[in-house]
Each structure stands twice: as C-alpha cells, then as structure tokens.
Amino acid sequence: MTSLISQLSSCYQNKIDHVRVLAYLSHCQDDTSKAKTLQDLKVLDQELDSIDQLLQQFAECIQSEQAAVVEAKNLEKDLTAQLERLNHLNANVPAELLERLSSVSSSCNVEKENEKEAVKEMKDVKPAKPSNAEVIAQPGTLLASDPVTVEELDSIPHYIRGRLSLKFVNSILENFLKVARIKYKILNKPKSAMNQQTLAKFRKFKDAECDETAGFIFVTDEDLREYGKLKMDLSTKNAITILRHTDRINVLKRNRTTRYLLQSCY
C-alpha cells in the first residue's frame, strides 16, 4: 500500500514538472498569461503537497493497524494455547480431587439445609419435657441416649452420610453426652462447695442459657471444644447432621453461639 502511494505521488510530481516546462516553452502567451499560469501552478503544487501529507498520514495509520492485527493474532495464539491446557487439565483431573470437590459441594448443601431447618426448628421449639427437667434437678444423674441404629443410618441420604461409619456417628453422640455429664455435674453442685474456678465455669454455663433452652439438657460448641476436645471438621459436622435427623439432638443458634439440645436423654 505504501509503495502505491509513493508511485501516485511521483506521478503527480512528474506531471507538474511537465506542465512547468510547457509553460516556459510557450511563446504565444504574453507575460500576464505566463504569470497567471505560474501562479496557478504554485497553487496546484501546494494542494498536491497537502494531498501528499494526507497520504503519508494514511500510510502511517495503515502501518499502525497492521501492527495491531499482528498483536491480536499473537494474543489469539496465546489464548488458544491456554484453552488447550485447560481442556487437558479438565480431561485429566485426579479422581481424589474430584472426590474432595464433591464432598465440599455436599457439605455446602448440607449446611444450607441445616440453616433452613434450624430457622424452622427455632420457631417450633416446644417447652421442656418433665423428664429432662428432672434429670437436671437430680445431682449425679448419668445422661444416656439410645445409640443410632443401622436402620436409622441407612435412612439418611447418601449426600449427608457420605462414608461415615455407624461407630463414628455414635462416638460423636457419646462425646456430646460426656460433655453434658461434666457440665450438669457442675450445675447441680452446691455453690458453697465450689472453688473460684468451678464457680467461673458455673456462671459461664448459666450465661449460655436462654428462653428456648429452658428445661432442656444442652451443650454449646464451645463446651464441646473445651471438654470434649471435639474438632468441628467436615466429618464431625456431617455426623451432627445425622444426629439431628435421627432426633438425637436439636440445633439452636443464638447470639453467635450454637447450642445442641439433647432430645432423647434419660
């Protein structure tokens, strides 16, 4: 394109030179006509110079656009290479990673379901059963609950249960009961027999109570961590969900504290 513009400019320049030669060689014109002809040629020469400058600017724009096209093609090659690598990764994802992603997705679904059911359960919390109130009132009472059965575990959806064993689920339940025994042993102890450390624990337990827990045996997530050494990992959370579905516990959340109400204690 640039060469064509140069050729066009040279062609016009040659024609101007020829016209100038013809004007000087013309003897049939007077001085006035010759002067007018030279003036016209000067004007024409200026206009051609302007055209030549515009053509040069046009050539520069074309070169700039050509450079942009080359850059775009290089970018397209890079993106194509990235897409090929991503397709390769997608087709060769390790099975272990897929299993973990599936587990995380299931956990998120479970937590969403738990939140919905927790809101519903908080609205439907009923007054305490007399048997639970009697347990709290009797010092030294050992809390117990029926373990989860094989039939109950099999009735739980697989996306909740995952690979959890019956033994593990019941061990979590026993951990809840162990912490509850420690807690209510302190609560049922006379204040006169408490030292400063025990009295501080007593007050902490009392601060966790609310209207919805009246008459219920319950433990908090903090109680489980402190007295049961329980880690709230994915398996533990799924086991708690199973205990809630099998009516062993009820979950109550108030003021950033999660309380677990033991439903079937005797």
Side-chain angles (χ1 to χ4, degrees), residues 83-101:
L83 180 61
E84 290 177 354
R85 285 194 287 268
L86 289 175
N87 289 334
H88 175 75
L89 290 174
N90 186 44
N92 297 276
V93 177
E96 182 180 354
L97 180 58
L98 288 175
E99 184 178 346
R100 290 183 180 179
L101 291 175

Side-chain angles (χ1 to χ4, degrees), residues 18-220:
H18 291 160
V19 171
R20 284 176 177 172
V21 172
L22 292 174
Y24 280 111
L25 294 177
S26 176
H27 298 288
C28 61
Q29 293 180 339
D30 55 17
D31 294 338
T32 304
S33 298
K34 291 180 179 180
K36 185 176 182 304
T37 302
L38 291 174
Q39 184 65 30
D40 292 339
L41 288 174
K42 288 181 180 180
V43 173
L44 181 61
D45 186 43
Q46 292 175 355
E47 292 179 354
L48 288 175
D49 287 340
S50 299
I51 293 174
D52 185 58
Q53 292 177 359
L54 291 175
L55 290 175
Q56 290 179 359
Q57 293 177 0
F58 183 61
E60 292 175 357
C61 290
I62 292 176
Q63 291 177 353
S64 177
E65 293 298 326
Q66 288 176 340
V69 170
V70 172
E71 185 177 355
K73 288 183 178 180
N74 293 333
L75 180 60
E76 181 184 8
K77 291 180 181 179
D78 293 339
L79 292 176
T80 301
Q82 291 286 351
L83 180 61
E84 290 177 354
R85 285 194 287 268
L86 289 175
N87 289 334
H88 175 75
L89 290 174
N90 186 44
N92 297 276
V93 177
E96 182 180 354
L97 180 58
L98 288 175
E99 184 178 346
R100 290 183 180 179
L101 291 175
S102 176
S103 177
V104 170
S105 178
S106 299
S107 175
C108 292
N109 293 334
V110 170
E111 289 181 358
K112 290 181 180 178
E113 182 181 347
N114 289 346
E115 291 178 359
K116 292 180 181 178
E117 294 188 6
V119 173
K120 182 179 179 181
E121 289 171 356
M122 284 188 291
K123 295 179 180 179
D124 300 334
V125 173
K126 298 179 180 180
K129 298 179 182 179
S131 59
N132 284 343
E134 292 173 1
V135 171
I136 298 175
Q138 296 177 2
T141 301
L142 293 179
L143 305 180
S145 177
D146 294 330
V148 179
T149 64
V150 176
E151 291 76 12
E152 287 176 316
L153 185 63
D154 290 340
S155 68
I156 302 298
H158 181 72
Y159 74 91
I160 297 177
R161 182 183 61 189
R163 296 184 178 181
L164 296 182
S165 65
L166 182 64
K167 181 178 179 181
F168 179 78
V169 174
N170 282 324
S171 69
I172 298 298
L173 175 60
E174 182 57 35
N175 201 314
F176 273 75
L177 297 173
K178 180 184 72 172
V179 173
R181 294 186 190 106
I182 296 173
K183 173 180 178 178
Y184 285 93
K185 183 178 180 180
I186 295 174
L187 288 175
N188 290 321
K189 191 174 184 180
K191 288 187 179 181
S192 59
M194 296 182 185
N195 56 26
Q196 291 295 328
Q197 185 178 5
T198 305
L199 187 59
K201 293 179 180 180
F202 176 87
R203 291 171 179 168
K204 187 176 181 180
F205 292 148
K206 283 294 185 181
D207 289 340
E209 294 179 357
C210 59
D211 294 339
E212 290 85 349
T213 61
F216 280 93
I217 298 172
F218 76 96
V219 294
T220 66

